[in-house]
C-alpha cells in the first residue's frame, strides 16, 4: 500500500473514543471538592484519563448541583498525533431538573462547543463547530436529567434489584437520549454492581460502599475505566497508533477498483458478535453463523433517468437539511456551489461536477484532523475522507441533491490485501441512491466499499459511525471469496 493510498482514508476511532466518555458517568467523590481520576484503556492500551468532580453550590441564594468532567484522549494516526480534550460543566436543580451546561472539546487546534440552557419548560441547545452554528430545543419532563449529574440524582438512590429509566441530555452532543440503570447486587469483594445503558451504550460498573466507581467497562467498545491517582492518570505512556492497528488483511491482492464489477467476501467477528453490515440495492448480506456473514457487493450504478434539480420532497427532506458540520447558509459554500453547478439542472452531471471539485480541491490528503466542518474543509483544502465527504455533502445539498454519509471498510491495496475504515457519500438522483467516493475521485464507488453505517453529519450519524468503528477494532477478519472483473471474468483466489 502506497503512502498516498494510506493517507486517503480516515478512521473514525477518534470520534468513537470521544463518544465513549458519554457512557460511563462516574460517581461522586467521597467529599465535595475532591476530584476522582480514572485511567482510560481502549482494548488494553491506555489512551487517556478522566477527571470527575462534583459539588453542592449556591447561586443567587439557590442550591445547585455542579458537575465537572475533564477528559483527555491522546492517540496517533501514523505520524499524526491527535489530542482530544473535553471539559463539561453542568448545573442542575436539587430535584435533578437540568439548568444549564457548557461542553467544550478541542481536537488538536479545532474547537467544538455545545451549550444548553433551560427556558421555562424547554431546553435550548446550541452547537458550534468552527464558523457553523446550529440551534435546537426540546421539551423537558420530570424524568429528564443532565448525563453528568445522573450519578448524584439517580444512581446513588438505587437499591438492590431496582431498575430506573428515563432520559438524559448528553452534553457531548446536546441530544436527548434514553437511560436505564439496574442495581445487580454485590460481588464477592463487596462492590456494588450496576448495569448502565446510556444512549444505547451499555456498561458494567463496580462501586464501593461510598458510591465511588472503582471500575467501569464498556464491552461493546473495548473500553475500560479504572480509578487511580492523579499522578498515575497523567502518565500517558506509549501513544497507540489506531490507524495501523485497525487495518485488516484479507490475504488477497485485488485489481484496481475501477476494474471490478463485483466482489464477494466473508466477514467474521473473533468474538460472538456478527459484523453489522447493511443490506441495500448494491450490497447483499447472507448470515452464515452467529458471528459471520457473506457479503456480495456490486459496483454502484448511475441513474437511468436523473432527476431535475432541485429535488424538494417531504420524503427526502431529512437528507437536505443543515447539520452542525454543514452550514447550508454559509456564503462561501453557496458561492462555490453556484460556481460548480452553473445552470446545470441534471442531478447526475451536477453530482459528478461536485465530486470532481472536492477530489481536486482538497489537495493535502492529511490525517491531521478529526472531523472538520464543510466550511473548514473548503477553506483549508486539507483533510481525509471525512473532510471530503462533508464538503461534498454540503455542496450537494445546496444544489438540491439529497445526501447521506456512509462509513465502512474499503480496499486500499498492498501485498496483504489491506482493508481500512473509510467514509464516502450516497446521493439520491431520482430513481436510486448512488454511492460516490470524493476521496478517491470515483463517480461510482467501486465494489470494495463495504457499508456498515449511513446517516448525516449530525450527532447521531457521527455516534453510529464511531461506535461501529470502535466495536470492530481488532475483532474482525476478512476473506475474499471471489471477485468479478469489468470484462466479466470471475476470479476465485
Amino acid at each position: 500500500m502506497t503512502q498516498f493510498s494510506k493517507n486517503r482514508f480516515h478512521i473514525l476511532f477518534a470520534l468513537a473514543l470521544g463518544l465513549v466518555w458519554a457512557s460511563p458517568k462516574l460517581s461522586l467523590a467521597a467529599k465535595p471538592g475532591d476530584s476522582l481520576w480514572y485511567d482510560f484503556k481502549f482494548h488494553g492500551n491506555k489512551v487517556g484519563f478522566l477527571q470527575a468532580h462534583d459539588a453542592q453550590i449556591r447561586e443567587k441564594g439557590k442550591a445547585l448541583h455542579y458537575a465537572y468532567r475533564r477528559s483527555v484522549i491522546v492517540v496517533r494516526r501514523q505520524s499524526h498525533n491527535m489530542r482530544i480534550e473535553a471539559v463539561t460543566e453542568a448545573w442542575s436543580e436539587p430535584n435533578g431538573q437540568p439548568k444549564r451546561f457548557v461542553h467544550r472539546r478541542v481536537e488538536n487546534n479545532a474547537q467544538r462547543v455545545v451549550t444548553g440552557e433551560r427556558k421555562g419548560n424547554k431546553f435550548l441547545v446550541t452547537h458550534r463547530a468552527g464558523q457553523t452554528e446550529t440551534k435546537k430545543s426540546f421539551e423537558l419532563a420530570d424524568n429528564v436529567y443532565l448525563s453528568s449529574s445522573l450519578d448524584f440524582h439517580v444512581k446513588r438512590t438505587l437499591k438492590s434489584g431496582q431498575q430506573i429509566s428515563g432520559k438524559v441530555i448528553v452534553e457531548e452532543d446536546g441530544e436527548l437520549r434514553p437511560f436505564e440503570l439496574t442495581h445487580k447486587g454485590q460481588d464477592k469483594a463487596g462492590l456494588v454492581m450496576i448495569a448502565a445503558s446510556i444512549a444505547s451504550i451499555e456498561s458494567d460498573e463496580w462501586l464501593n460502599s461510598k458510591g465511588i466507581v472503582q471500575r467501569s467497562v464498556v464491552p461493546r467498545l473495548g473500553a475500560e475505566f479504572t480509578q487511580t491517582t492523579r499522578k498515575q492518570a497523567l502518565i500517558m505512556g506509549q501513544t497507540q497508533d489506531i490507524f495501523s492497528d485497525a487495518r485488516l488483511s484479507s490475504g488477497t491482492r485485488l485489481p484496481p477498483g475501477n476494474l471490478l464489477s463485483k466482489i464477494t467476501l466473508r466477514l467474521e467477528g473473533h468474538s460472538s458478535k456478527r459484523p453489522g453490515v447493511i443490506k441495500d440495492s448494491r450490497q447483499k448480506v447472507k448470515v452464515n453463523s452467529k458471528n459471520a456473514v457473506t457479503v456480495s457487493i456490486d459496483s454502484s450504478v448511475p441513474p437511468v433517468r436523473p432527476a431535475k434539480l432541485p429535488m424538494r420532497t417531504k420524503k427526502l427532506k431529512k437528507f437536505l437539511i443543515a447539520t452542525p458540520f454543514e452550514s447550508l447558509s454559509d456564503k462561501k459554500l453557496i458561492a462555490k456551489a453556484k460556481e460548480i453547478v452553473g445552470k446545470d439542472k441534471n442531478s447526475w452531471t451536477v453530482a459528478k461536477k461536485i465530486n470532481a471539485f472536492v477530489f481536486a480541491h482538497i489537495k493535502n490528503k492529511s490525517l491531521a484532523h478529526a472531523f472538520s466542518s464543510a466550511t473548514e474543509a473548503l477553506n483549508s483544502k486539507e483533510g481525509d475522507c471525512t473532510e471530503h465527504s462533508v464538503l461534498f455533502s454540503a455542496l450537494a445539498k445546496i444544489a438540491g441533491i439529497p445526501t447521506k454519509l456512509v462509513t465502512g471498510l474499503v480496499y486500499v491495496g498492498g501485498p496483504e490485501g489491506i482493508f481500512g475504515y473509510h467514509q464516502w457519500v450516497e446521493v439520491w438522483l431520482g430513481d436510486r441512491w448512488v454511492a460516490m467516493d470524493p476521496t478517491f475521485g470515483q463517480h461510482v464507488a467501486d465494489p470494495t466499499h463495504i457499508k456498515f453505517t449511513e446517516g448525516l453529519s449530525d450527532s447521531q450519524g457521527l455516534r453510529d459511525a464511531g461506535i461501529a468503528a470502535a466495536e470492530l477494532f481488532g475483532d474482525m477478519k476478512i476473506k475474499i471469496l471471489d471477485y468479478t472483473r469489468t470484462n466479466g471474468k470471475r476470479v476465485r483466489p
Side-chain angles (χ1 to χ4, degrees):
M1 178 166 47
T2 65
Q3 184 66 29
F4 179 68
S5 295
K6 289 179 181 178
N7 285 343
R8 291 202 303 177
F9 72 92
H10 172 61
I11 298 175
L12 291 159
F13 291 119
L15 296 174
L17 296 179
L19 291 169
V20 165
W21 297 106
S23 49
K25 294 301 179 182
L26 304 172
S27 293
L28 292 171
K31 299 178 182 179
D34 288 346
S35 280
L36 293 173
W37 295 84
Y38 294 84
D39 280 337
F40 172 29
K41 292 183 178 181
F42 181 62
H43 289 279
N45 295 306
K46 182 174 178 178
V47 294
F49 64 85
L50 171 66
Q51 177 188 0
H53 165 69
D54 292 77
Q56 300 304 300
I57 65 170
R58 299 193 69 82
E59 186 178 88
K60 297 181 180 180
K62 295 183 178 181
L64 293 175
H65 172 251
Y66 170 74
Y68 173 89
R69 301 289 185 269
R70 174 183 172 231
S71 63
V72 174
I73 299 170
V74 181
V75 291
R76 188 162 45 88
R77 292 192 290 171
Q78 292 190 322
S79 61
H80 298 280
N81 284 328
M82 178 174 292
R83 188 179 193 274
I84 302 176
E85 180 168 359
V87 173
T88 297
E89 293 182 278
W91 295 261
S92 57
E93 305 284 355
N95 64 357
Q97 278 282 322
K99 186 174 179 61
R100 69 181 187 276
F101 75 85
V102 178
H103 175 78
R104 297 181 178 87
R105 186 171 73 253
V106 178
E107 303 167 359
N108 289 349
N109 294 323
Q111 181 168 274
R112 313 295 183 220
V113 181
V114 185
T115 59
E117 184 176 9
R118 179 176 179 172
K119 296 288 186 181
N121 291 326
K122 288 189 175 182
F123 202 81
L124 309 180
V125 175
T126 301
H127 190 294
R128 299 182 185 89
Q131 300 173 11
T132 303
E133 180 177 289
T134 55
K135 296 178 181 290
K136 60 189 170 187
S137 66
F138 41 79
E139 298 287 338
L140 287 175
D142 292 338
N143 64 339
V144 175
Y145 304 88
L146 291 170
S147 62
S148 58
S149 65
L150 194 61
D151 306 299
F152 179 79
H153 293 298
V154 181
K155 190 182 299 182
R156 69 174 186 165
T157 68
L158 283 176
K159 296 178 174 58
S160 183
Q162 186 180 9
Q163 183 180 89
I164 296 179
S165 61
K167 292 185 178 180
V168 291
I169 301 168
V170 179
E171 295 94 331
E172 286 83 350
D173 55 25
E175 294 290 341
L176 187 65
R177 302 185 185 277
F179 80 87
E180 184 175 278
L181 299 173
T182 304
H183 193 299
K184 306 290 286 186
Q186 292 184 332
D187 67 5
K188 294 180 180 179
L191 295 176
V192 172
M193 299 180 293
I194 290 182
S197 175
I198 300 177
S200 301
I201 300 178
E202 298 179 353
S203 62
D204 297 311
E205 300 181 5
W206 289 263
L207 291 70
N208 65 17
S209 59
K210 296 179 179 180
I212 297 175
V213 171
Q214 304 292 287
R215 181 169 172 254
S216 180
V217 177
V218 190
R220 181 180 179 186
L221 303 184
E224 180 178 351
F225 301 81
T226 307
Q227 189 190 8
T228 187
T229 63
R230 178 181 183 275
K231 180 179 179 180
Q232 181 62 38
L234 297 176
I235 299 174
M236 295 302 297
Q238 185 175 357
T239 305
Q240 183 178 10
D241 183 354
I242 59 173
F243 185 97
S244 300
D245 290 349
R247 292 178 296 180
L248 298 171
S249 173
S250 69
T252 300
R253 188 165 194 166
L254 295 171
N258 63 344
L259 298 180
L260 296 174
S261 64
K262 186 174 183 177
I263 185 171
T264 303
L265 45 86
R266 177 185 171 89
L267 297 175
E268 182 178 349
H270 293 305
S271 65
S272 59
K273 185 173 180 61
R274 184 186 305 126
V277 286
I278 293 177
K279 296 180 181 179
D280 64 14
S281 60
R282 63 180 288 270
Q283 184 165 283
K284 306 297 187 291
V285 181
K286 178 182 177 182
V287 176
N288 300 125
S289 64
K290 67 177 183 179
N291 66 330
V293 294
T294 297
V295 186
S296 297
I297 309 168
D298 294 306
S299 179
S300 196
V301 179
V304 177
R305 296 181 180 86
K308 185 178 179 180
L309 294 178
M311 286 180 271
R312 307 290 185 191
T313 66
K314 290 184 179 180
K315 180 181 178 180
L316 300 170
K317 183 179 179 180
K318 172 184 176 181
F319 305 105
L320 286 163
I321 62 174
T323 74
F325 290 90
E326 298 172 35
S327 173
L328 306 187
S329 61
D330 182 273
K331 292 181 179 179
K332 286 187 177 181
L333 287 171
I334 293 172
K336 182 55 67 177
K338 289 181 177 179
E339 177 187 327
I340 297 168
V341 174
K343 297 182 179 180
D344 197 339
K345 299 296 183 181
N346 183 298
S347 59
W348 177 226
T349 59
V350 167
K352 289 189 288 185
K353 287 179 180 179
I354 294 173
N355 198 54
F357 165 77
V358 173
F359 175 70
H361 181 75
I362 299 183
K363 300 181 183 299
N364 184 4
K365 313 294 184 180
S366 169
L367 292 168
H369 302 279
F371 198 102
S372 300
S373 68
T375 302
E376 290 170 331
L378 180 67
N379 292 336
S380 70
K381 301 182 181 181
E382 180 180 6
D384 48 42
C385 67
T386 55
E387 282 70 39
H388 286 77
S389 298
V390 76
L391 178 56
F392 177 104
S393 181
L395 293 171
K397 288 177 180 177
I398 291 171
I401 300 175
T403 307
K404 295 178 187 176
L405 297 188
V406 178
T407 61
L409 296 171
V410 72
Y411 180 74
V412 292
E416 297 179 358
I418 300 297
F419 280 75
Y421 288 88
H422 188 49
Q423 184 173 84
W424 60 98
V425 299
E426 288 183 0
V427 292
W428 179 262
L429 299 175
D431 60 357
R432 72 192 65 189
W433 287 100
V434 177
M436 306 179 74
D437 192 331
T439 311
F440 292 172
Q442 296 179 351
H443 292 329
V444 288
D446 71 51
T448 70
H449 289 68
I450 310 169
K451 180 163 69 171
F452 281 81
T453 72
E454 59 183 20
L456 308 176
S457 61
D458 58 7
S459 58
Q460 187 61 52
L462 299 180
R463 175 181 291 270
D464 290 344
I467 290 173
E471 67 181 348
L472 290 172
F473 187 94
D475 192 39
M476 187 173 64
K477 58 183 178 180
I478 184 170
K479 181 180 180 181
I480 307 297
L481 301 180
D482 62 62
Y483 59 87
T484 304
R485 293 177 176 269
T486 51
N487 62 8
K489 183 179 178 181
R490 186 180 180 186
V491 180
R492 293 180 177 175

